[in-house]
């Protein structure tokens, strides 16, 4: 066992700056290498090892003077730690008074009656006693506090000014620097220092101007004056409201601020620096020049303490940065009497300050000025002038005029402007009549006169003369309508504005109606006249009618409102009853009576709904410019209608109107096969009791009309849906025309646009001829077919289907016919599945294109007939030797016959030991010749698909073998170099029977090794012990390869 002992292993005996020793006894441990390592706070330590005698070693290590702390001692014998290794010991600091440090302000001096403090650092001085004494003009109280980290805090209280001596000893020896001689000055009273001046006032200091204040320390005792400026500070602005308080002379309204300070953030770097001038009489002058706006903190300290009031909060402002908006600032400053002058004052960039406002008008200084503080930095100033004249608005900020002030404002009174003219009273005048008027603004004060005229044509108004403040205007209207003259003075309307000039033009009155054209004029029913004056302006209307017997018939025109006109237009062409209202109504308007056609309430019969006449009375309100008049013809013949508008006749007045007999018109319908008709309307919702007229959407239909003995008149037609249209329309959208076949013989030709059954009413002079004719409509093109049964690439012998939707196609019967490429019909089944939806099911049995014909109401549906390609993968045939067996590195082939399979994609995949390319070649007979060349022997599988479906007998397994052995195709390489060579039999066929024999000149080969490389190449190695000629025989499947046997010199 190894024994270790000595003081070097005992902590209580170890100190810095010494050699520590210990002994290692290995005499009873046997043989082994001794290893010693000592590591201290600074790393590995210096070692001295001395052999005292055989098996006993003395080890000494040095403890650095600056490295007290833990040391680790590793002792290894025979590469193993001995018991208790590693040893850990602690070295303490060596006692050394020279390493005691004393520092702190208490060793330098200070002010009496304040605790002076310094620190003693004994952390590296080792152990020892501490003694201390303080001598001075008067005994001082001393406090010592152990900080328990090797330091001590010392405080003493000097009560009398003068020099003090501080002595400190450690381990009975003085420490460096003693005695310390601090000097203490008498104390001062900073509260007795006084400061005054604009530089410390809350407001009044401006950016770029020198701010000055005075400091008086005559009563404060000795001390040092310090002054620092910190700003701009981050501050919270006041929200105290500002009240107008005008002073006496001049009269100003001022606003006061309430300051508050937020804790400063960021850098203490200030934009202003204080400059102190000592006046040598215990007073000082301080000045600074701020460069930025904001709140500054002015700190004044005396003898290290703030004086009373310090720090002072000073708001620095820049009146030149105040922004002003309002009348007269950026415009000409013209305002109207009674309209407030409103100014916006923005001080966000000007800093804190007091706002003062004064307004001077025709009566001197005005005191009723309102100042409203809306935000911390925004003000609104209001003053309402009550008399025309010149006004001046003065504003000051922090006692300085702000930019753009005083503001000059002119006040006017638009109510003093007068306008006179002959045609400004609204009485109608003809187009081309000159209009003269004059405007006087003599008593209105200064302002801008604005004249704008609105009317049907653009007219430039400019005064043609001016005299004594009166402007004369004239213009000549060239278009009819209402001309409004807007006159403003200083943007305010003058009394009576706008002025109305009504201009009319009888040539632009449009006349229409049965009483003018004769169309719709029938004996015993009112003949209507419509006047459209919307483009003619406004004027009185007068009319009279002269009958064929010479009798005069009176006719009054009444206006109709925009709302009532919209109703009439929505009703189409209603039959207007005789008497358009009472003509003696005070407002000159009338209740318009109209006859409309409506379904009988409660009648839900699928047959044609019963129709009744219902009367409605329409009360006009807002005039539309449309007027109606009528007269009642009682005998056939020509009537003369005379109409005037204002002082002029309208159009070709008097109008001559012929009245005819609509009852003499006869209709003739096309002949229709009854059996075909009944099949057509099979299942129709509206089945009439009589044979209807059949029509197809988008195709023309006809009805013959004969007007013999009916007199002059106009033919028209109304198409009404039997059932409600999807848009809820009263009339169905149908294109129609009456074509003259011969005199008094016309043909109604119409093209329906929607598959909704119709009732057609033919009108002669707007009167119905006979009963409405029912038209049954279908629209095969509205049918939509979709589904897998119409998709290309369907498989034979598999059932498929598709859907047909007949919604919006009208009544009809659905049928389907399917034929294959051989014209043989394929059975199919049509099923109604829900509402207007059908399902067609069929199973094709042969490949090829199939024609799918779907008809509705005997018409081909949209997209039909459809062509569907059917394919039959089971009809694909694959055959040939290449699907059974193949020879390595030789092209193999087979055939794929798709002639009876229809159209489809052919897919060929080959799986085997090595990827092999497959080459299909389409031939002229519709078959494919497929070739491939395998390069590795093994079992291969062909996967053949048609239309992504495997054909019969898939997969095809092919065995790939090498060709028969042929030694002549072997190649021997490197035989001339003794010891090794290569045999390449990759092209020689066979399954790999290689024979190699090597014989030396006197003895056989010591060994021969043959290694197959996996690709029918072989590495041959041999060893002949004696030099000389060597005979080498190489055979492949029992046959010598070319050159064998070989002779090699070794």
């Amino acid at each position: 066992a190894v024994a270790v002992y000595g003081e070097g292993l005992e902590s209580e005996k170890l100190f810095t700056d010494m050699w520590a020793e210990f002994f290692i006894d290995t005499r009873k441990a046997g043989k082994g290498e001794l290893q010693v390592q000592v590591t201290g706070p600074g790393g590995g330590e210096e070692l001295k090892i001395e052999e005292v005698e055989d098996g006993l070693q003395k080890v000494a290590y040095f403890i650095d003077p600056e490295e007290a702390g833990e040391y680790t001692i590793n002792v290894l014998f025979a590469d193993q730690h001995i018991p208790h290794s590693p040893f850990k010991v602690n070295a303490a600091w060596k006692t050394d008074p020279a390493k005691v440090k004393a520092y702190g302000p208490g060793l330098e001096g200070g002010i009496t009656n304040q605790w002076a403090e310094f620190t003693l650092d004994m952390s590296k001085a080792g152990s020892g006693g501490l003694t201390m004494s303080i001598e001075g003009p008067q005994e001082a109280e001393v406090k010592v506090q152990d900080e328990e980290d090797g330091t001590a805090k010392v405080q003493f209280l000097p009560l009398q000014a003068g020099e003090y001596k501080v002595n400190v000893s450690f381990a009975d020896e003085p420490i460096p620097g003693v005695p310390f001689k601090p000097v203490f000055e008498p104390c001062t009273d900073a509260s007795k220092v006084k400061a005054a001046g604009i530089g410390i006032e809350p407001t009044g200091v401006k950016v770029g101007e020198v701010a000055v204040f005075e400091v008086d320390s005559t009563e404060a005792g000795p001390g040092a004056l310090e002054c620092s400026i910190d700003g701009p500070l981050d501050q919270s602005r006041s929200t105290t409201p500002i009240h107008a308080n005008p002073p006496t002379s001049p009269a100003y309204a001022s606003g006061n601020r309430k300051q508050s300070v937020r804790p400063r953030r960021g850098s203490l770097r200030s934009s202003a620096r204080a400059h102190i001038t000592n006046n040598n009489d215990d007073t000082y002058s301080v000045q600074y020049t701020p460069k930025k706006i904001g709140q500054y903190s002015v700190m004044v300290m005396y003898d290290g303490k703030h004086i009373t009031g310090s720090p002072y909060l000073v708001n620095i402002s820049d009146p030149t940065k105040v922004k002003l908006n309002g009348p007269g600032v950026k415009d000409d400053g013209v305002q109207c009497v009674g309209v407030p002058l409103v100014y916006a004052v923005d001080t966000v960039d000007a800093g804190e300050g007091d706002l003062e406002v004064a307004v001077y008008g025709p009566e001197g200084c005005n005191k009723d000025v309102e100042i409203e503080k809306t935000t911390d930095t925004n003000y609104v100033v209001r003053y309402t002038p009550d008399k025309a004249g010149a006004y001046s608005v003065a504003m000051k900020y922090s006692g300085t005029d702000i930019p753009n002030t005083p503001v000059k404002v002119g006040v006017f009174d638009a109510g003093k402007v007068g306008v006179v003219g002959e045609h400004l009273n609204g009485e109608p005048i003809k187009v081309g009549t000159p209009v003269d008027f004059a405007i006087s603004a003599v008593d209105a004060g200064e302002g801008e006169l604005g004249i704008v005229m609105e009317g049907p044509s653009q007219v430039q108004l400019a005064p043609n003369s001016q005299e004594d403040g009166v402007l004369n205007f004239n213009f000549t209207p060239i278009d009819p309508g209402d001309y409004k003259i807007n006159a403003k003075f200083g943007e305010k309307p003058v009394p009576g504005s706008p002025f109305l000039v009504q201009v009319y033009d009888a040539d632009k009155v449009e006349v229409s109606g049965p009483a003018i054209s004769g169309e719709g004029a029938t004996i015993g029913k009112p003949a209507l006249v419509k006047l459209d004056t919307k483009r003619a302006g406004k004027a009185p209307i007068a009319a009279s009618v002269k009958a064929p017997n010479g009798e005069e018939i009176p006719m009054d025109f009444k206006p109709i409102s925009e709302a009532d006109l919209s109703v009439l237009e929505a009703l189409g062409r209603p039959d207007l009853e005789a008497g358009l209202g009472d003509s003696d109504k005070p407002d000159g308007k009338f209740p318009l009576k109209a006859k409309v056609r409506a379904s009988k309430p409660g009648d839900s019969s699928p047959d044609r709904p019963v129709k009744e006449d219902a009367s409605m009375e329409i009360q006009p309100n807002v005039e539309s410019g449309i007027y109606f008049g009528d007269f009642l013809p009682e005998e056939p013949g020509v009537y003369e209608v005379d109409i005037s508008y204002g002082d002029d006749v309208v159009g070709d007045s008097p109008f001559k109107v012929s009245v005819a007999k609509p009852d003499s018109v006869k209709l003739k319908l096309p002949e229709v096969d009854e059996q075909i008709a009944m099949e057509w309307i099979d299942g129709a919702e509206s089945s009439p009791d009589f044979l209807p007229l059949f029509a197809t959407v988008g195709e023309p239909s006809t009805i013959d009309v004969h007007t013999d003995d009916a007199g002059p008149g106009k033919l028209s037609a109304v198409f009404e849906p039997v059932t409600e249209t999807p848009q809820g329309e009263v009339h169905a959208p149908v294109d129609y025309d009456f074509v003259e076949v011969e005199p008094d013989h016309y043909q109604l030709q119409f093209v329906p646009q929607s598959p909704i059954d119709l009732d057609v009413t033919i009108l002669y002079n707007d009167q119905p001829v006979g009963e409405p004719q029912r038209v049954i409509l279908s629209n095969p093109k509205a049918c939509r077919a979709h589904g897998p049964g119409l998709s290309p690439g369907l498989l034979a012998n598999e059932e498929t289907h598709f859907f047909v939707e007949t919604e919006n196609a009208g009544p009809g019967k659905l049928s389907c016919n399917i034929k294959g490429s051989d014209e043989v019909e394929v059975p199919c089944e049509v099923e109604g599945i829900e509402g207007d939806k059908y399902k067609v099911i069929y199973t094709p049995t042969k490949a090829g294109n199939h024609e799918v014909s779907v008809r509705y109401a005997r018409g081909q549906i949209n997209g039909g007939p459809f062509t569907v390609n059917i394919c039959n993968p089971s009809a694909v045939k694959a055959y040939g030797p290449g699907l059974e067996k193949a020879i390595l590195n030789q092209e193999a082939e087979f055939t794929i016959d798709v002639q009876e399979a229809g159209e489809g994609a052919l897919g060929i995949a080959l799986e085997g030991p090595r990827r092999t390319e497959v080459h299909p070649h389409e031939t002229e007979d519709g078959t494919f010749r497929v070739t491939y060349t395998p390069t590795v022997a093994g079992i291969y599988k062909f996967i053949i698909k048609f239309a992504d479906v495997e054909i019969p007998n898939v997969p095809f397994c092919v065995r790939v073998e090498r060709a028969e052995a042929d030694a002549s195709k072997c190649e021997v390489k490197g035989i001339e170099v003794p010891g090794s060579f290569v045999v390449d039999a990759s092209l020689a066929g066979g399954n790999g029977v290689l024979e190699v024999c090597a014989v030396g000149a006197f003895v056989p080969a010591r060994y021969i090794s043959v290694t197959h490389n996996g690709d029918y190449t072989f590495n041959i190695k041999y060893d002949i012990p004696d030099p000389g000629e060597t005979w080498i025989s190489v055979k492949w499947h029992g046959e010598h390869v070319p050159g064998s046997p070989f002779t090699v010199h070794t």
Side-chain angles (χ1 to χ4, degrees):
V2 178
V4 181
Y5 55 90
E7 293 181 353
L9 300 176
E10 300 175 12
S11 296
E12 61 274 9
K13 297 181 180 180
L14 300 179
F15 299 95
T16 57
D17 195 19
M18 66 170 286
W19 284 92
E21 298 179 349
F22 63 92
F23 294 90
I24 303 174
D25 188 350
T26 60
R27 288 176 289 192
K28 296 182 180 181
K31 292 184 178 181
E33 181 183 1
L34 178 65
Q35 300 177 49
V36 181
Q37 182 186 37
V38 178
T39 304
E45 301 296 338
E46 181 181 356
L47 292 177
K48 293 181 180 180
I49 302 177
E50 177 184 351
E51 186 172 11
V52 179
E53 58 181 74
D54 189 18
L56 180 62
Q57 308 290 329
K58 181 175 74 172
V59 180
Y61 62 93
F62 185 70
I63 301 175
D64 191 273
E66 299 297 329
E67 293 181 2
E70 184 179 80
Y71 284 74
T72 302
I73 303 170
N74 292 280
V75 180
L76 289 83
F77 187 75
D79 292 329
Q80 298 291 326
H81 278 280
I82 69 171
H84 308 298
S85 176
F87 301 91
K88 295 187 181 294
V89 295
N90 284 290
W93 290 100
K94 177 182 178 182
T95 300
D96 186 359
K99 291 188 176 182
V100 177
K101 299 178 182 179
Y103 55 89
L107 299 179
E108 299 172 0
I111 304 298
T112 58
N113 294 310
Q114 293 184 3
W115 286 96
E117 182 179 306
F118 64 92
T119 301
L120 293 174
D121 186 352
M122 302 165 286
S123 58
K124 295 184 179 181
S127 59
L130 177 67
T131 58
M132 181 175 53
S133 64
I134 299 177
E135 302 174 3
Q138 185 176 344
E139 184 179 356
E141 181 182 356
V142 180
K143 297 180 181 178
V144 180
Q145 179 179 342
D146 186 359
E147 299 295 335
E148 298 183 354
D149 59 354
T151 65
K153 182 171 70 175
V154 181
Q155 294 178 311
F156 64 97
L157 183 61
L159 301 177
Q160 187 173 339
E163 182 181 81
Y164 287 72
K165 291 184 179 180
V166 180
N167 289 287
V168 182
S169 297
F170 185 78
D172 297 330
E173 293 185 16
I175 68 171
V178 296
F180 300 99
K181 299 178 180 180
V183 176
F184 293 89
E185 301 290 340
C187 65
T188 58
D189 187 354
S191 64
K192 296 182 179 181
V193 177
K194 300 176 183 178
I198 187 66
I200 57 174
E201 292 295 325
T203 59
V205 181
K206 303 178 185 62
V207 168
E209 296 184 2
V210 177
V212 181
F213 63 94
E214 303 293 328
V215 180
D216 185 352
S217 64
T218 54
E219 299 179 2
L225 177 67
E226 299 176 72
C227 182
S228 63
I229 314 295
D230 186 12
L233 303 176
D234 181 13
Q235 56 179 325
S236 175
R237 306 293 294 267
S238 170
T239 58
T240 303
I242 304 300
H243 302 283
N245 184 20
T248 55
S249 178
Y252 285 100
S254 63
N256 299 321
R257 295 179 183 269
K258 184 177 181 180
Q259 304 162 354
S260 61
V261 180
R262 182 181 294 172
R264 181 174 55 204
R265 298 179 298 177
S267 172
L268 294 178
R269 184 182 182 90
S270 176
S271 68
R273 179 178 297 179
H275 298 278
I276 303 174
T277 301
N278 191 338
N279 298 326
N280 297 320
D281 58 356
D282 291 331
T283 65
Y284 303 85
S285 296
V286 183
Q287 67 180 27
Y288 63 93
T289 305
K291 299 178 180 179
K292 296 180 181 179
I293 65 169
Q295 192 175 67
Y296 285 66
S297 174
V298 180
M299 292 175 286
V300 182
M301 304 182 71
Y302 191 75
D303 197 37
K305 295 181 180 180
H306 281 284
I307 70 173
T308 302
S310 176
Y312 300 92
L313 298 181
V314 180
N315 292 298
I316 309 300
S317 63
D318 186 353
T320 65
K321 297 294 180 67
V322 176
K323 298 176 183 177
L324 178 64
N325 271 310
V329 178
K330 294 182 180 179
D331 54 24
D332 55 9
V334 178
Q335 283 292 98
C336 184
V337 167
V339 177
L341 301 175
V342 181
Y343 294 91
V345 183
D346 184 353
T347 65
V348 67
D349 298 323
E352 294 281 352
D354 294 325
L355 177 65
E356 301 171 276
V357 183
V359 179
Y360 300 91
E363 298 179 346
C365 181
N366 298 277
K367 300 184 179 182
D368 50 348
V369 180
E370 179 187 352
I371 304 176
E372 178 186 358
K373 186 173 184 180
T374 57
T375 68
D376 288 346
T377 59
N378 293 90
Y379 302 82
V380 173
V381 178
R382 294 183 180 88
Y383 173 73
T384 303
D386 55 2
K387 182 175 290 189
Y391 285 76
S392 176
V393 182
M395 296 188 190
K396 291 186 177 184
Y397 193 71
S398 293
T400 301
D401 290 333
I402 67 175
N404 301 317
T405 62
V407 180
K408 303 299 182 181
V409 181
V411 178
F412 64 91
D413 188 352
K416 302 293 185 179
V417 178
V419 181
V420 293
E422 180 182 359
H423 298 300
L424 302 184
N425 55 2
E427 293 183 1
I429 61 173
K430 293 182 181 181
V431 167
T433 302
V435 178
D436 299 300
F437 63 95
I439 299 178
S440 174
V442 175
D443 300 324
E446 294 185 4
E448 182 178 351
L449 177 64
I451 303 293
V452 177
M453 185 166 66
E454 302 173 7
S457 60
Q458 184 176 1
V459 177
Q460 297 293 336
L461 283 180
N464 52 21
S465 65
Q466 179 176 355
E467 184 179 356
D468 297 331
V470 177
L471 299 176
N472 297 303
F473 296 83
N474 76 326
F475 72 95
T476 301
I478 59 175
D479 289 313
D482 290 346
Y483 291 78
K484 291 183 179 180
I485 302 174
N486 293 279
K488 292 184 178 182
F489 191 73
E491 297 299 324
K492 297 296 181 180
V494 305
S497 179
F499 303 93
L500 178 63
V501 179
Q502 289 188 332
V503 181
Y504 71 89
D505 185 353
D507 292 338
K508 293 189 177 180
V509 176
E510 298 179 5
V511 187
S512 61
I516 301 299
S517 64
E519 298 175 359
T522 305
I523 293 174
K525 293 186 179 181
L528 184 69
V529 179
K530 175 185 175 183
L531 291 185
D532 186 345
T533 66
K534 288 184 288 188
R535 297 175 55 249
K538 297 178 181 179
I541 302 172
S544 64
V545 180
K546 185 177 181 180
N549 59 9
E551 182 183 354
E552 292 287 337
I553 303 175
M555 180 170 60
D556 292 330
F557 281 91
K558 306 294 194 273
I560 183 171
S561 69
E562 288 283 359
D564 296 342
L565 182 62
S566 299
V567 173
L568 284 179
E569 292 174 349
L571 293 176
R573 298 184 62 183
D575 298 329
L576 298 177
E577 292 184 346
L580 296 179
D582 300 328
S583 60
D584 57 350
K585 290 201 173 181
D587 57 0
K589 299 181 180 179
F590 64 93
L592 177 65
K593 294 181 179 179
K595 181 187 291 182
V596 297
R597 191 165 280 165
S599 297
K600 183 177 180 181
D603 189 352
S604 58
S605 171
D607 296 334
R608 188 174 68 184
V610 176
K611 303 215 171 166
E612 292 186 346
D613 290 341
S615 295
M616 61 183 296
E617 187 172 289
I618 307 170
Q619 294 294 341
N621 42 32
V622 179
E623 294 184 359
S624 63
I626 305 296
Y627 295 82
F628 284 100
D630 68 345
F631 68 94
L632 185 63
E634 296 180 349
E635 59 179 315
V638 177
Y639 290 75
E640 293 184 3
V641 180
D642 189 6
I643 305 173
S644 61
Y645 195 68
D647 297 331
D648 298 328
V649 297
V650 174
D652 296 329
S653 181
F655 302 94
K656 295 184 179 182
V657 184
S658 298
V659 179
K661 298 179 180 180
D663 295 341
S664 299
V665 177
K666 306 298 180 183
L667 306 180
K668 184 179 180 181
L669 303 179
E671 295 183 359
V672 181
D673 185 278
E674 184 174 351
Q675 183 177 358
I676 294 176
M678 296 309 296
E679 180 179 343
W680 187 307
I681 64 173
D682 181 32
E685 293 183 4
S686 53
S687 301
D689 296 331
F690 55 90
L691 194 62
L693 174 65
F694 298 98
T696 301
V697 172
E699 297 183 6
S701 295
T702 62
I703 297 176
D704 287 310
V705 182
H706 297 272
T707 62
D708 308 75
D709 303 325
K714 181 179 180 181
L715 286 168
S716 60
V718 175
F719 296 82
E720 297 177 300
V722 175
T723 58
E724 185 177 354
T725 66
Q727 295 78 21
E729 298 168 318
V730 176
H731 301 290
V734 178
D735 295 330
Y736 76 93
D737 190 17
F738 283 92
V739 179
E740 184 175 10
V741 179
E742 58 186 354
D744 296 327
H745 179 195
Y746 299 86
Q747 191 175 70
L748 170 61
Q749 298 179 353
F750 61 96
V751 181
Q753 303 297 326
S754 176
I756 298 177
D757 295 350
L758 302 173
D759 279 341
V760 183
T761 301
I762 296 178
L763 306 174
Y764 192 68
N765 277 3
D766 290 333
Q767 299 299 314
V769 177
E771 294 295 326
Q773 172 62 43
R774 176 64 52 85
V775 180
I776 302 297
L777 283 167
S778 296
N779 185 11
K781 296 301 181 182
C783 297
R784 188 172 68 92
H786 60 90
L790 297 179
S791 302
L794 298 179
L795 299 180
N797 301 312
E798 291 189 8
E799 182 183 282
T800 185
H801 66 276
F802 61 92
F803 299 96
V804 180
E805 297 180 9
T806 63
E807 184 180 4
N808 299 327
K813 188 173 183 179
L814 183 72
S815 63
C816 181
N817 179 267
I818 303 175
K819 290 183 180 180
S821 57
D822 54 0
E823 295 298 321
V824 176
E825 186 172 341
V826 178
C828 65
E829 181 182 355
V830 179
E831 297 178 356
I833 53 176
E834 56 178 31
D836 297 324
K837 190 171 184 180
Y838 298 84
K839 181 177 182 182
V840 181
I841 305 171
Y842 70 99
T843 303
T845 58
K846 294 184 179 181
N849 288 334
H850 285 54
E851 182 183 86
V852 180
S853 176
V854 183
R855 291 180 175 273
Y856 186 77
R858 296 197 171 192
Q860 194 72 239
I861 72 169
N862 187 34
F866 304 92
T867 299
V868 181
N869 174 255
I870 308 297
C871 66
N872 188 3
S874 63
V876 178
K877 302 174 184 178
Y879 54 88
L883 290 178
E884 300 174 0
K885 183 179 179 180
I887 301 301
L888 188 68
N889 296 317
Q890 294 183 13
E891 184 179 85
E893 72 173 65
F894 60 91
T895 300
I896 300 177
D897 186 352
V898 298
Q899 297 180 83
E900 298 181 2
E903 294 183 6
L906 178 64
I908 306 172
L910 177 59
E911 301 175 358
R914 177 176 293 179
R915 183 178 180 275
T916 302
E917 292 187 0
V918 179
H919 304 282
H921 310 278
E922 187 174 3
T923 63
E924 295 181 355
D925 60 0
T927 63
F928 288 85
R929 174 176 170 268
V930 183
T931 62
Y932 64 98
T933 304
T935 57
V936 175
I939 301 299
Y940 289 72
K941 290 183 180 180
F942 273 100
I943 308 297
I944 302 175
K945 293 183 178 181
F946 187 77
D948 206 30
V949 177
E950 292 183 353
I951 70 172
N953 302 320
V954 168
F956 298 93
C957 295
V958 182
R959 183 181 182 84
V960 178
E961 299 179 346
R962 288 171 59 84
E964 294 184 1
D966 184 356
S968 66
K969 294 184 178 179
C970 290
E971 183 181 359
V972 178
K973 303 176 184 178
I975 190 70
E976 64 276 2
V977 179
S980 65
F981 59 92
V982 175
V983 177
D984 184 352
S986 58
L987 301 178
N991 57 9
V993 180
L994 178 66
E995 300 174 56
V996 180
C997 178
V999 180
F1002 304 101
V1003 294
R1006 179 178 297 169
Y1007 71 86
I1008 299 175
S1009 67
V1010 179
T1011 303
H1012 182 216
N1013 296 323
D1015 55 355
Y1016 285 89
T1017 63
F1018 303 85
N1019 292 334
I1020 314 298
K1021 292 184 179 181
Y1022 64 91
D1023 182 33
I1024 303 298
D1026 295 329
E1029 290 187 351
T1030 299
W1031 180 85
I1032 301 174
S1033 171
V1034 180
K1035 292 183 178 181
W1036 180 250
H1037 284 264
E1039 298 293 331
H1040 280 285
V1041 304
S1044 177
F1046 302 93
T1047 300
V1048 180
H1049 294 278
T1050 60

